[in-house]
């Protein structure tokens, strides 16, 4: 049987740990490939920073990647358990030439993956990804450099990242007297996030901060906010913060226990940044998944919304191209590029708390910025054939777009990580959104 090839999806290479392509052998080859490319493009002694989340499979992949780097003369700096944005930010500060994060983000503990960052702390471009994919999937191993590299613990850099987060708010910001509940998802920020919030003076309660290697994202974090909602209400907190497993995204919960998604976070941050003459580019960047209500709100405020394909790497690229300093996704990937090059859940969370304090309003008001249009999402699993290439589905999509007109919008796309077609429909009327989405889903099922 042919084994699955390593492929970059919307957020690195991901899959079930121990099953190709997420194996020790592939991890070692990945280290070799990244190291070979890095060594060929620098005259200095190359260094790659490696971070991981709390999954039980993380340490063996960390050792394998370090082995691969060392085999081609590249040094490995081991951060240990560290948020994905910590790796990106520390690489951007220098002297590392790249960063590798071992994480499957919000997926269950059985999964793992590899995220790669260039010397600016940005996710790799398509050309470099293709170069690494080709090397990973080739029969012949990369040619080893003549000198072996070394590996060294660099977990002390985690405190550098924590200091960067606190400094981003300015010296006069204090969360004293503010009761906050944090859900760290039993993940990569289970130590750093509480430390930062407590250093800022918050009256903090923490859940999801007891990782055991198997409980990352399990009934906790940004994909499972029920426990956080209960905790916020029972503790009388002003706000709740939910991170995901590698802490590159966050969602919020208001004082009444209602979830606040990434679109409302973006709108609130845009308002705060514009009021403080800090918003660049005349608007913000988000993806095709952001609610039409956000777009209409920004237009009414004289601000623009640039949409990209799904994936924070696309958002970051559009931000750099257009001179924006705010971007993100409804899922909670928020990029504040003046402070860091990638989506950063802890940074976004503390900036949101700062914005709430500046507005002197409860979270239920500060993050209820616009009325979202009703949105319906349906995932349709498919087999070997691609339903999106059939005439029946393309005709169904065209008919749905005509039916919606200016009353809504739709998006039909393949998942980047699973054999699913994702159907999203927004409309001013929920019944119309539901009926349209169901018709499209039925057409896809019939074709698949």
């Amino acid at each position: 049987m042919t084994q699955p090839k390593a492929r970059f999806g919307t957020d690195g290479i991901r899959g079930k740990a121990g099953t190709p392509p997420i194996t020790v052998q592939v991890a070692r080859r990945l280290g070799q490939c990244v190291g070979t490319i890095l060594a060929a493009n620098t005259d200095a002694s190359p260094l790659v920073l490696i971070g991981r989340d709390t999954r039980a499979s993380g340490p063996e992949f960390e050792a394998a990647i370090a082995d691969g780097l060392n085999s081609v003369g590249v040094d490995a700096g081991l951060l240990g358990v560290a948020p994905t944005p910590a790796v990106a930010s520390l690489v951007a500060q220098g002297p590392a030439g790249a960063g590798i994060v071992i994480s499957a983000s919000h997926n269950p503990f059985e999964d793992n993956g590899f995220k790669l960052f260039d010397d600016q702390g940005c996710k790799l471009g398509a050309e470099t990804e293709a170069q690494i994919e080709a090397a990973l999937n080739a029969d012949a191993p990369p040619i080893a450099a003549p000198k072996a590299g070394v590996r060294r613990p660099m977990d002390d850099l985690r405190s550098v990242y924590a200091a960067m987060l606190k400094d981003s708010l300015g010296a006069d910001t204090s969360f004293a007297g503010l009761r906050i509940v944090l859900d760290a998802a039993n993940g990569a920020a289970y130590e750093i996030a509480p430390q930062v919030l407590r250093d800022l003076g918050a009256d903090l309660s923490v859940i999801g901060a007891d990782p055991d290697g198997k409980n990352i994202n399990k009934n906790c974090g940004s994909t499972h906010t029920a426990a956080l909602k209960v905790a916020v209400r029972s503790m009388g907190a002003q706000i709740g913060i939910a991170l995901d497993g590698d802490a590159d995204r966050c969602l919020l919960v208001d004082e009444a226990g209602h979830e606040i998604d990434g679109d409302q976070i973006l709108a609130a941050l845009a308002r705060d940044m514009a009021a403080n003459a800090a918003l660049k580019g005349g608007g913000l960047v988000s993806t095709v998944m952001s609610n039409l209500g956000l777009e209409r709100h920004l237009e009414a405020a004289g601000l623009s919304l640039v949409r990209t394909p799904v994936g924070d790497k696309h958002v970051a690229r559009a931000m750099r191209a257009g001179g924006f300093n705010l971007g993100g996704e409804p899922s909670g990937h928020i990029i504040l590029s003046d402070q860091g090059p990638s989506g950063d859940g802890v940074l976004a969370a503390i900036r949101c708390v700062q914005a709430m304090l500046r507005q002197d309003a409860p979270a239920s008001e500060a993050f209820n910025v616009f009325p979202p249009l009703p949105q319906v999402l349906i995932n349709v699993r498919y087999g070997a054939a691609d339903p999106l290439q059939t005439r029946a589905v393309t005709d169904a999509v065209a008919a749905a777009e005509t039916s919606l007109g200016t009353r809504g919008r739709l998006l039909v796309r393949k998942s980047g990580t699973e054999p699913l077609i994702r159907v999203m429909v927004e409309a001013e009327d929920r019944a119309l959104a539901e009926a349209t989405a169901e018709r499209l889903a039925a057409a896809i099922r019939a074709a698949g």
Side-chain angles (χ1 to χ4, degrees):
M1 179 181 294
T2 302
Q3 293 194 343
K5 291 186 175 182
R7 299 291 187 201
F8 283 88
T10 55
D11 198 14
I13 303 169
R14 193 177 298 182
K16 186 175 181 180
T19 300
I22 309 302
T23 64
V24 167
Q25 292 75 20
V26 171
R28 187 175 294 110
R29 284 290 303 279
L30 179 65
Q32 288 179 319
C33 296
V34 172
T36 300
I37 293 169
L38 184 61
N41 291 299
T42 180
D43 295 327
S45 177
L47 169 68
V48 174
L49 295 184
I50 305 173
R52 56 183 171 85
D53 64 24
T54 56
R55 293 167 209 271
S57 59
E60 66 175 352
F61 290 134
E62 175 189 69
I65 291 172
D67 283 345
L69 290 167
N70 291 167
S71 74
V72 294
V74 175
D75 294 347
L78 307 183
L79 296 173
V81 173
T84 289
V87 177
S89 294
L90 291 167
V91 169
Q93 296 296 313
I100 300 176
V101 176
I102 303 158
S103 175
S105 192
H106 58 278
N107 287 28
F109 93 93
E110 294 92 348
D111 292 343
N112 218 325
F114 312 119
K115 301 184 182 186
L116 277 64
F117 296 87
D118 64 18
D119 60 349
Q120 301 301 308
C122 301
K123 290 181 179 176
L124 301 184
E127 183 177 343
T128 306
E129 285 185 346
Q131 186 180 4
I132 292 173
E133 270 188 10
L136 278 174
N137 296 320
D139 292 333
I143 299 172
K147 175 175 81 70
V150 299
R151 68 187 71 185
R152 53 184 183 270
M154 301 183 77
D155 52 331
D156 57 311
L157 290 182
R158 295 198 299 256
S159 62
V160 175
Y161 167 68
M164 289 165 55
L165 290 173
K166 290 178 286 188
D167 291 346
S168 72
L169 299 186
D172 59 344
T173 299
S174 171
F175 294 171
L178 192 65
R179 185 168 295 173
I180 298 174
V181 181
L182 168 70
D183 183 346
N186 292 312
Y190 80 100
E191 291 181 322
I192 285 177
Q195 172 194 335
V196 169
L197 288 164
R198 289 190 174 112
D199 286 350
L200 288 167
D203 177 3
L204 184 69
S205 298
V206 184
I207 62 176
D210 297 297
D212 61 10
K214 296 183 178 181
N215 61 358
I216 186 170
N217 301 313
K218 186 175 181 180
N219 299 320
C220 60
S222 62
T223 52
H224 303 279
T225 58
L228 179 61
K229 293 174 181 178
V230 171
V232 167
R233 291 194 300 266
S234 65
M235 296 177 185
Q238 279 81 41
I239 192 168
I241 298 166
L243 303 174
D244 72 333
D246 70 332
D248 65 352
R249 68 170 75 177
C250 82
L251 296 180
L252 304 175
V253 169
D254 70 20
E255 75 282 0
H258 299 135
E259 185 175 302
I260 300 162
D261 72 3
D263 281 347
Q264 294 288 355
I265 290 172
L266 285 169
L269 287 174
R271 177 177 60 192
D272 179 71
M273 292 166 71
N276 289 279
L279 187 67
K280 299 176 183 176
L284 60 89
V285 179
S286 191
T287 73
V288 290
M289 295 302 293
S290 273
N291 195 276
L292 184 58
L294 173 63
E295 185 173 342
R296 292 178 176 179
H297 164 76
L298 292 171
E299 287 177 353
L303 300 173
S304 63
L305 174 65
V306 174
R307 291 187 184 269
T308 74
V310 173
D312 64 323
K313 65 181 179 182
H314 300 297
V315 173
R317 199 165 295 131
M319 289 173 65
R320 293 192 297 273
F324 297 90
N325 62 345
L326 175 62
E329 299 185 274
S331 60
H333 277 123
I334 307 297
I335 304 174
L336 293 148
S337 59
D338 286 343
Q339 281 77 44
S342 70
D344 191 326
V346 183
L347 173 63
I350 61 176
R351 284 288 298 274
C352 283
V353 174
Q354 182 186 50
M356 183 180 74
L357 293 173
R358 283 173 172 166
Q359 194 175 344
D360 192 24
S364 56
E365 294 180 19
F367 300 102
N368 185 19
V369 184
F370 67 89
L373 268 68
Q375 184 182 88
V376 178
L377 297 170
I378 300 177
N379 293 323
V380 182
R381 191 166 294 274
Y382 66 95
D386 182 359
L388 299 187
Q389 301 300 315
T390 65
R391 179 66 179 271
V393 172
T394 57
D395 286 350
V397 171
E401 289 175 333
T402 300
S403 175
L404 286 174
T406 60
R407 296 177 295 167
R409 69 185 189 98
L410 63 86
L411 178 68
V412 179
R413 67 178 184 89
K414 288 183 180 178
S415 165
T417 57
E418 301 175 83
L420 298 174
I421 303 295
R422 302 196 190 279
V423 177
M424 184 276 289
V425 179
E426 292 172 350
E428 294 169 352
D429 176 70
R430 174 165 288 279
L432 174 61
E434 290 175 347
T436 303
E438 288 292 350
R439 283 198 300 271
L440 287 171
I444 293 168
R445 291 188 191 101

